[in-house]
Amino acid sequence: MTDSIGSQTAVALATRASLSHPKRIECLCLKPGQRRRYRLFSTVDPDLNEVIGPEDLDPVEFDIPSDIAVATYLIESLWRLHVSPGELERQLGRVAPNTAITSA
């Protein structure tokens, strides 16, 4: 289960019927980030590839699950109905985070 943006493996945190196409399944996925420790995104790809369509929100990268950007993403994408911040925090151990990038 590698994604098309980067080579790290994504893990599914939750699934639901697509909001725009009820016969499709959407997954909320977590993987190591490119700029931050973690990356959260939605996909309809069964292999959990990160494919951003015209209806999708941009993924969010974060270091801690209490980041306001995470809350905003979960609310705007309606995933907050399926995943609580506490559940997200418990799932972080399922991916190997990238180390934080330090400025030179």
Side-chain angles (χ1 to χ4, degrees):
M1 290 189 287
T2 59
D3 61 37
S4 60
I5 300 175
S7 61
Q8 297 106 348
T9 301
V11 296
L13 301 179
T15 60
R16 68 179 180 199
S18 172
L19 301 175
S20 58
H21 300 92
K23 293 185 179 187
R24 292 192 331 202
I25 301 295
E26 292 180 346
C27 292
L28 177 65
C29 299
L30 179 69
K31 71 175 188 175
Q34 297 169 346
R35 295 175 309 281
R36 310 279 301 268
R37 293 181 73 190
Y38 302 100
R39 185 175 182 93
L40 198 58
F41 65 96
S42 295
T43 188
V44 295
D45 184 84
D47 293 325
L48 304 183
N49 292 319
E50 185 178 336
V51 180
I52 301 172
E55 302 169 351
D56 297 323
L57 292 175
D58 289 336
V60 64
E61 293 200 3
F62 61 99
D63 292 319
I64 56 173
S66 60
D67 189 314
I68 191 69
V70 173
T72 301
Y73 179 85
L74 292 174
I75 291 168
E76 289 181 354
S77 63
L78 302 177
W79 279 111
R80 182 63 179 85
L81 300 170
H82 304 277
V83 177
S84 70
E87 177 63 21
L88 174 61
E89 187 166 4
R90 286 188 292 278
Q91 297 297 326
L92 294 180
R94 294 179 62 194
V95 298
N98 286 338
T99 56
I101 298 172
T102 58
S103 58

